[in-house]
Amino acid sequence: NDFKYTSNTINYVDGRWIELSRPNIYSTMVEKNMLNYPIEKVLIVDNKIISSEVNHVAFMPSGITSLILPSVFSKLESSSPLTDFEYLKTDAFGNLISDARMQDKIIYDSYDSNANLNMYHNVNGINSVTIYGYGKKYPIAKIENTDFYQIASTLGITKYEVENFNENNLNQIKKTTTTTNTNTNTIAITQQQSTFLNFSNQTFFL
């Protein structure tokens, strides 16, 4: 019999991670009724852990305020199914503790005033910048292997100006496609909906 029992476990913010004597970001999420945000996703096959993903959250600057937004995406690194996997828990200070084999994969660096992710980097240090237009509703360009500071330096303007680019700045954005040493900045101009979804609309990044 080749049948395998498979299940996906998705853990949302709930009371398991909350200690009223030690307030933390998750207790704040409960207070704000932010209960449908997936924090931990675990794939189980025949009672063994095959994969796991964790979306860490933090108070991230968004315009002139700070919002609870994704900060780090982690993934399980294991060559074989696990029977000793440690699910998420909090320590005495309210910090989220995950299995030691979880590895950070993507670090979300900054968001714009509409809570759109506009810069992130992977564990290899490769940066990506996304420019939004049309009232910061749609991504219009994604620039790889650079950050806002490098773009600003290339164009001779301030980081603040780059962060506020829109559909009227496409020609300037194209000028950021340069070669420096062995690194090449690549740019993609698009009018399509991005896979980066607004966290304030209660969705995570795909």
Side-chain angles (χ1 to χ4, degrees), residues 1-193:
N1 189 346
D2 294 330
F3 175 80
K4 292 183 180 293
Y5 177 76
T6 302
S7 66
N8 267 309
T9 298
I10 301 178
N11 293 322
Y12 300 87
V13 174
D14 61 29
R16 290 173 304 158
W17 299 334
I18 308 304
E19 290 187 36
L20 295 180
S21 61
R22 297 185 178 91
N24 57 52
I25 193 169
Y26 302 99
S27 59
T28 301
M29 293 176 75
V30 171
E31 292 171 3
K32 293 179 176 292
N33 202 34
M34 301 171 65
L35 306 177
N36 57 343
Y37 293 86
I39 301 298
E40 179 182 41
K41 182 178 180 181
V42 181
L43 176 62
I44 305 169
V45 177
D46 286 347
N47 295 318
K48 295 180 180 180
I49 306 301
I50 303 300
S51 65
S52 177
E53 298 175 354
V54 171
N55 292 291
H56 298 270
V57 298
F59 288 101
M60 303 289 288
S62 177
I64 61 174
T65 188
S66 291
L67 299 175
I68 297 176
L69 295 165
S71 57
V72 178
F73 171 75
S74 301
K75 197 169 184 179
L76 177 65
E77 292 286 347
S78 177
S79 59
S80 58
L82 303 176
T83 57
D84 59 344
F85 179 77
E86 293 282 345
Y87 283 86
L88 284 178
K89 57 185 178 182
T90 52
D91 63 15
F93 301 97
N95 300 310
L96 202 62
I97 305 298
S98 58
D99 189 280
R101 289 156 294 198
M102 298 291 295
Q103 298 292 321
D104 293 347
K105 293 297 182 182
I106 301 174
I107 293 83
Y108 304 125
D109 296 302
S110 66
Y111 294 82
D112 65 20
S113 56
N114 278 24
N116 296 310
L117 177 68
N118 59 11
M119 189 169 73
Y120 67 92
H121 69 276
N122 62 25
V123 292
N124 296 319
I126 304 300
N127 294 291
S128 293
V129 168
T130 302
I131 305 295
Y132 293 83
Y134 306 99
K136 296 187 182 296
K137 292 181 178 179
Y138 303 104
I140 58 172
K142 181 179 180 182
I143 311 170
E144 301 280 0
N145 203 34
T146 190
D147 59 29
F148 282 121
Y149 294 100
Q150 292 174 323
I151 295 172
S153 177
T154 298
L155 298 178
I157 59 178
T158 66
K159 172 177 175 285
Y160 176 82
E161 289 176 285
V162 178
E163 290 175 327
N164 287 279
F165 271 1
N166 57 39
E167 64 278 6
N168 298 316
N169 301 103
L170 287 178
N171 287 332
Q172 284 178 281
I173 295 171
K174 291 176 182 178
K175 292 179 182 179
T176 64
T177 308
T178 59
T179 300
T180 304
N181 298 328
T182 59
N183 297 323
T184 300
N185 299 336
T186 59
I187 183 171
I189 305 296
T190 178
Q191 303 296 331
Q192 303 298 317
Q193 188 74 14

